[in-house]
Amino acid sequence: MSETVTAPAARPTAAPPALGAPGLFTVLLGAALPLIDFFIVNVALPAIGADLAAGEAVLELVVAGYGVAYAVLLVLGGRLGDLFGRRRLFLGGMAAFGLTSLACGLAPGAWSLVAARVAQGASAAAMLPQVLATIQATTSGARRARAMSLYGATAGLSMVAGQILGGVLVAADVAGTGWRAIFLVNVPVVVLGLVLAARHVPETRSPRPEPVDGPGTVLLAVSLLTLLAPLTEGRAAGWPLWTWLSLAAFPFAAGAFWVVERRADRSGRTPLVPPSLFRVPSMRHGLELLLPFSIGFSGFMFVIALALQQGAGLGPVRAGLALAPMAVAYLLVSLAGPRLIARHGTRVVTAGAVVQGVGLLLILAAAWRDWPHLGIASLLPGAAVAGAGQALQLPNVMRLVMSEVPAARAGVGSGVMVTTQQSALALGVATLGTLFLTLVPHLGMRDALVATLLVQLAGPVLTGLLSLRLPRTVG
């Protein structure tokens, strides 16, 4: 007698946990903190230097130490979230960010501040990749599009707001803390974020987590360090031999990294940065746009802070508030971004590059005409127009990058995107900042600013041209 064997019914796949409004607010708060802290020190550097008797090279390390540690460890942070749980890494990274912010605020000397900033950058690298990965894993369709647009709006607004907040806090001298308030303010915000995250952020992880790619992690760190360290420290240190040797080593380190990653990808393992991920058109084209945009954005913010304080003689509050029109325009235009992209497609990005270029030309004209009496009134038209143009680009480009990344690779994809963004931000400060400071002794502050802004115009021109290659619609 034969016996019929019935295959067991397949278990229904559990629906991914949903990210509600409080949870989205919490992860966006986590996204804002690292970007605010990258820019918040720009207007505080003169006060830090005076208080801690720090020279220019050490002050550049206060900026670069954070940025380099942040950029080097971001992809690893995304992989660890896939492996151990994104909520767990988010909570741990946020707690560490609060503790390292406290260490920055209490630093007794310049070198202890540099060390605390490096640790703060590493903490940010554990926290930030979990934001995009959580959004990618817990939303879909229109909810994901809205969440990604809000993420892009938060990222851009944080970069401008950080500089404004830095000026206000330094001048306010809260309880006699002076510049230290720019770091201490993070502590209560982190406490609030931890309480909200514990209650409202769902736990997610990759269904097929891969072990950490040790060789890839080391080679990526070496590649970024050999490029960013000499560019950020070279001018202030007088371009010693190690800077040139480091730059010469960069292409070899980057080439070795790519070979190792491609070999791992072809053998079926998941490398730290899978080359196959770049075969996704939206990821590849989006990162091509993100790179020049971020270089120009951070370079402009750094240069304008120096020019307004050291050249135009503005205090930290007025130097920060001079960019308030940019922040307001960015916020208002970014809120309309999802409707504009749905109606006009990716040509919105092209239009944004044109509008940003017009804004930069208006700022350039104001600097040429009104120097040294450059303030909020002079900069208002250009800053507002440039902010509107940036808002038409950044949120939509970020949404484009992640639009076709599968949820299982959300941590890897978000790590790659934010590493590209952060590396570009550090490159912008290093390249445009170095150009500006090199030109000042020869041309004077006004002409150096005008020349640097002319160079920066290449950013929106390149972004606009590259955007013409985008598909008309974004998923």
Side-chain angles (χ1 to χ4, degrees):
M1 186 172 92
S2 63
E3 181 178 324
T4 303
V5 179
T6 305
R11 293 182 181 178
T13 304
L19 185 68
L24 179 60
F25 170 81
T26 305
V27 295
L28 292 180
L29 178 66
L33 283 171
L35 287 168
I36 287 174
D37 266 59
F38 184 86
F39 289 91
I40 202 169
V41 299
N42 283 349
V43 293
L45 288 175
I48 294 173
D51 186 39
L52 300 182
E56 187 179 344
V58 178
L59 288 177
E60 288 199 7
L61 278 177
V62 172
V63 179
Y66 176 87
V68 172
Y70 187 19
V72 164
L73 297 172
L74 273 166
V75 179
L76 178 61
R79 174 62 61 82
L80 292 175
D82 285 351
L83 191 61
F84 296 111
R86 293 154 187 154
R87 177 175 173 270
R88 181 180 299 178
L89 261 291
F90 182 80
L91 286 166
M94 181 172 274
F97 191 84
L99 291 173
T100 53
S101 295
L102 182 63
C104 289
L106 300 178
W111 286 106
S112 58
L113 176 59
V114 170
R117 282 284 282 173
V118 171
Q120 190 187 34
S123 303
M127 174 173 60
L128 186 62
Q130 318 317 325
V131 175
L132 278 170
T134 297
I135 290 173
Q136 197 78 353
T138 58
T139 60
S140 60
R143 290 182 64 246
R144 179 182 294 175
R146 178 175 175 272
M148 286 301 300
S149 294
L150 287 172
Y151 175 87
T154 300
L157 191 61
S158 298
M159 291 189 263
V160 183
Q163 208 139 306
I164 297 171
L165 181 62
V168 171
L169 288 173
V170 170
D173 193 22
V174 182
T177 54
W179 61 265
R180 298 177 186 273
I182 68 174
F183 301 114
L184 296 176
V185 72
N186 291 335
V187 177
V189 177
V190 163
V191 171
L192 172 64
L194 290 172
V195 172
L196 291 173
R199 297 184 61 182
H200 299 294
V201 176
E203 180 64 283
T204 64
R205 67 184 71 201
S206 173
R208 295 181 300 277
E210 294 280 345
V212 171
D213 174 14
T217 301
V218 171
L219 285 170
L220 177 63
V222 171
S223 300
L224 290 174
L225 283 170
T226 54
L227 176 66
L228 296 177
L231 287 178
T232 52
E233 280 297 295
R235 189 199 60 82
W239 296 106
L241 179 61
W242 73 263
T243 60
W244 298 109
L245 293 176
S246 181
L247 287 172
F250 166 69
F252 297 99
F257 170 71
W258 189 253
V259 169
V260 167
E261 297 299 272
R262 187 172 58 180
R263 186 177 300 157
D265 207 12
R266 288 176 174 174
S267 66
R269 292 177 284 121
T270 302
L272 189 70
V273 179
S276 58
L277 203 60
F278 296 98
R279 290 200 291 268
V280 178
S282 59
M283 168 70 75
R284 185 174 66 254
H285 293 319
L287 292 179
E288 288 173 354
L289 290 165
L290 190 61
L291 195 61
F293 178 89
S294 298
I295 288 173
F297 198 127
S298 65
F300 169 79
M301 298 296 285
F302 181 75
V303 167
I304 201 70
L306 289 178
L308 291 179
Q309 289 189 92
Q310 297 181 7
L314 301 185
V317 172
R318 292 177 64 198
L321 289 179
L323 298 175
M326 180 178 287
V328 173
Y330 188 100
L331 176 62
L332 294 176
V333 175
S334 63
L335 292 175
R339 293 193 300 275
L340 291 172
I341 205 81
R343 188 169 186 177
H344 302 289
T346 54
R347 291 299 174 260
V348 170
V349 178
T350 310
V354 174
V355 173
Q356 183 191 4
V358 171
L360 282 174
L361 286 172
L362 290 173
I363 293 172
L364 188 154
W368 181 267
R369 181 186 65 240
D370 297 336
W371 191 267
H373 307 293
L374 201 60
I376 297 177
S378 299
L379 292 174
L380 191 152
V385 172
Q390 290 160 351
L392 292 173
Q393 295 174 82
L394 185 60
N396 297 317
V397 169
M398 287 184 160
R399 178 179 159 191
L400 174 73
V401 170
M402 296 297 292
S403 62
E404 295 175 350
V405 175
R409 283 189 157 184
V412 177
S414 63
V416 170
M417 187 181 85
V418 292
T419 297
T420 301
Q421 181 192 26
Q422 184 57 40
S423 300
L425 292 176
L427 270 173
V429 172
T431 53
L432 290 174
T434 296
L435 173 65
F436 173 70
L437 291 170
T438 302
L439 292 176
V440 167
H442 305 286
L443 302 180
M445 190 71 72
R446 184 196 72 170
D447 290 353
L449 176 60
V450 168
T452 306
L453 289 175
L454 282 171
V455 172
Q456 197 209 328
L457 274 172
V461 169
L462 182 58
T463 304
L465 292 174
L466 289 172
S467 68
L468 297 175
R469 300 170 55 194
L470 296 176
R472 289 300 298 264
T473 59
V474 180

